[in-house]
Amino acid sequence: MKLYRNLVQAVVNALQDIFDDNQYADKVIERILKSNPKWGARDRAFIAENTYEVVRWYRLLYEIDGAPPKVEADWWRLFGIWQLLHEYKLPDWEEFKGLDARAIREKSKKVESVRKINESIPDWLDERAARELEVSWEPVLKALNEPAPVVLRVNTLKMDVLSLQQLLKAEGVETAPLEGGDALRVMVRKNLFSTQAFKQGYFEVQDFASQQVAPYLQVEPGMRVIDACAGAGGKALHLAALMQNKGRIIAMDTEGWKLEELKRRARRAGIDIIEARPVTSTKVIKRLENSADRLLLDVPCSGLGVLRRNPDAKWKLDLAFIEQVRQTQQEILRSYSRMLKPGGLMVYATCSILPSENEHQVATFLKEQEGKFELVRSQYLLPNEFGYDGFFMALLVKREA
């Protein structure tokens, strides 16, 4: 693979923004790709994929190099080490002077038995996850270090799976249907947002595990549904499609800008049953008490189940954040659950793989509620078993008074 200095420089710049300036990887890459419209699809893919891979294997790379990077020259070395580990030949550039492929591979072999280095994660995360998941942690971790596949959710209000597959093929996008849903897996990465199919609202990009949450809520056309932590609305849009755009969905979030994005997405999808309602005070919750047939609580979480697509998160998280987000989850369960009617169904969901954020939270909530709610069932979607992001879902029913 031939390397071009300007593309490698773009990767190095991205890495500095992500680690030195503590910016989010996806936003950094988006900004850098927009900075040069002359880059073609292959150039853009090179920048994005190599940035994510160095982020993913950051600890392994700096342990091989001998110390964490401090200046720009160190980031060039880490990029070079990554290339040599994959047996790519480096050009005779000054930035790569002194990098020896054989020595690098020997150092890599020496740390193969040290999981936290070989799998490139912080000490605290390895210890916490191993304690909670026990023998399941190692296969889950290996799966989380694999690049994330791109999956589309077909907007069934406008299109069916096979028809969309044909339309995308005509636009140069190869896909394959996935069993058990209205989903297509993208086989070769493309700029999907420039396709006519996207602009017409025929699909949304949504991981296949995330697509399992909305059906878990068992919605029906005509229902009154609340998505209480809606964000930019991926699951609210899915709920609307399952409801055949009949009924009412109240999409709530504490961050209004996310709801503005939901409104744009809903217009593109041809959905008019979603009402975006910012959570500005506890009065918003109180006004909706006992009003929802269905309630979705896709709560804030550590995001450890989606590290394959957000690998920078493992370098930004810490134990203090985990404890803080657990408190937030319990507060949401306690206060937001009041919006559900007696006899209604509620789903508590996270994109975390830690029991302390999942079944332990549900158990604490049920104990506090003293019989007002009952667990119907729960399910883990683990990346090593399901093949996509890590998710947890619990379905609860509010008992009749």
Side-chain angles (χ1 to χ4, degrees):
M1 179 178 64
K2 186 176 180 180
L3 296 180
Y4 295 91
R5 183 179 290 275
N6 67 324
L7 300 183
V8 180
Q9 183 68 64
V11 172
V12 168
N13 292 345
L15 292 168
Q16 289 182 290
D17 288 345
I18 293 164
F19 286 94
D20 298 343
D21 296 339
N22 201 33
Q23 298 179 37
Y24 289 106
D26 58 342
K27 301 300 182 186
V28 168
I29 292 171
E30 181 182 356
R31 186 181 68 249
I32 286 179
L33 294 183
K34 285 181 178 178
S35 70
N36 191 337
K38 292 183 180 179
W39 281 328
R42 188 174 296 180
D43 299 334
R44 298 164 69 85
F46 175 90
I47 293 168
E49 290 168 12
N50 280 276
T51 300
Y52 274 122
E53 287 304 293
V54 175
V55 171
R56 196 183 312 279
W57 299 105
Y58 169 66
R59 182 172 186 179
L60 173 63
L61 297 176
Y62 81 65
E63 293 276 4
I64 290 173
D65 197 33
K70 294 181 179 178
V71 296
E72 181 175 324
D74 298 336
W75 290 109
W76 279 88
R77 286 177 60 83
L78 256 61
F79 175 88
I81 291 168
W82 169 249
Q83 296 292 305
L84 292 175
L85 279 177
H86 289 76
E87 301 186 359
Y88 294 130
K89 187 177 180 180
L90 292 176
D92 187 22
W93 295 347
E94 184 65 30
E95 292 88 348
F96 298 141
K97 287 285 191 280
L99 292 180
D100 180 79
R102 180 178 295 179
I104 285 168
R105 285 193 282 272
E106 285 177 357
K107 288 181 180 178
S108 176
K109 280 203 167 294
K110 285 181 181 178
V111 298
E112 280 183 350
S113 61
V114 186
R115 181 175 61 205
K116 59 190 178 184
I117 298 176
N118 191 53
E119 297 295 339
S120 195
I121 51 169
D123 289 2
W124 72 266
L125 177 53
D126 189 45
E127 292 163 6
R128 177 66 176 258
R131 185 167 70 250
E132 292 202 31
L133 294 174
E134 300 178 339
V135 295
S136 298
W137 171 230
E138 193 153 326
V140 167
L141 176 57
K142 286 183 180 297
L144 287 173
N145 272 330
E146 297 171 0
V150 178
V151 180
L152 312 180
R153 180 184 59 77
V154 182
N155 179 11
T156 53
L157 297 174
K158 290 187 171 186
M159 185 58 53
D160 62 81
V161 172
L162 295 180
S163 296
L164 179 58
Q165 185 181 24
Q166 293 303 312
L167 283 174
L168 288 172
K169 186 174 183 180
E171 294 197 59
V173 181
E174 291 292 336
T175 60
L178 295 176
E179 287 187 24
D182 300 308
L184 290 168
R185 179 166 174 164
V186 179
M187 308 311 292
V188 179
R189 289 177 183 266
K190 295 277 188 178
N191 183 1
L192 298 164
F193 303 116
S194 66
T195 63
Q196 286 301 309
F198 176 76
K199 293 173 182 177
Q200 293 294 323
Y202 294 158
F203 69 86
E204 292 285 340
V205 178
Q206 185 179 13
D207 185 79
F208 196 47
S210 178
Q211 291 187 39
Q212 308 310 304
V213 176
Y216 212 69
L217 195 55
Q218 301 179 24
V219 295
E220 296 176 7
M223 282 185 168
R224 181 184 174 93
V225 178
I226 296 177
D227 180 355
C229 308
K235 297 178 182 68
L237 296 172
H238 195 182
L239 288 167
L242 293 172
M243 294 165 65
Q244 299 170 28
N245 202 30
K246 298 173 183 177
R248 188 181 184 194
I249 297 174
I250 299 175
M252 307 170 66
D253 203 272
T254 56
E255 299 186 69
W257 66 269
K258 292 182 178 180
L259 295 177
E260 291 302 315
E261 175 63 16
L262 165 57
K263 291 177 185 178
R264 286 191 288 272
R265 295 172 74 184
R267 285 194 295 269
R268 188 177 61 241
I271 292 168
D272 57 18
I273 66 167
I274 297 178
E275 175 195 340
R277 191 176 297 189
V279 181
T280 54
S281 70
T282 55
K283 291 180 181 178
V284 177
I285 309 299
K286 188 173 180 60
R287 292 191 193 104
L288 292 169
E289 280 189 18
N290 298 313
S291 68
D293 299 302
R294 299 288 187 268
L295 174 63
L296 174 58
L297 300 181
D298 181 22
V299 299
C301 70
S302 64
L304 293 176
V306 295
L307 287 181
R308 51 170 52 182
R309 69 183 63 255
N310 298 317
D312 55 318
K314 58 185 172 181
W315 311 120
K316 292 178 168 64
L317 292 171
D318 56 28
L319 279 171
F321 177 81
I322 298 287
E323 293 311 313
Q324 180 184 347
V325 83
R326 289 182 67 247
Q327 291 179 21
T328 300
Q329 290 164 354
Q330 201 56 233
E331 289 167 5
I332 288 173
L333 268 169
R334 290 191 195 105
S335 60
Y336 287 27
S337 60
R338 293 180 295 168
M339 295 187 289
L340 189 64
K341 287 179 181 178
L345 296 177
M346 174 175 80
V347 164
Y348 172 86
T350 78
C351 56
S352 174
I353 40 81
L354 294 181
S356 58
E357 295 185 72
N358 296 327
E359 62 263 39
H360 295 177
Q361 293 286 53
V362 173
T364 298
F365 171 73
L366 290 174
K367 185 176 180 180
E368 289 182 353
Q369 291 297 310
E370 299 178 336
K372 295 178 184 176
F373 285 80
E374 180 183 346
L375 177 65
V376 179
R377 62 175 177 272
S378 63
Q379 182 179 0
Y380 268 103
L381 301 173
L382 295 177
N384 57 311
E385 298 171 352
F386 191 63
Y388 297 90
D389 286 346
F391 263 83
F392 172 81
M393 305 176 293
L395 179 67
L396 298 94
V397 61
K398 187 173 186 178
R399 288 174 168 165
E400 300 282 355

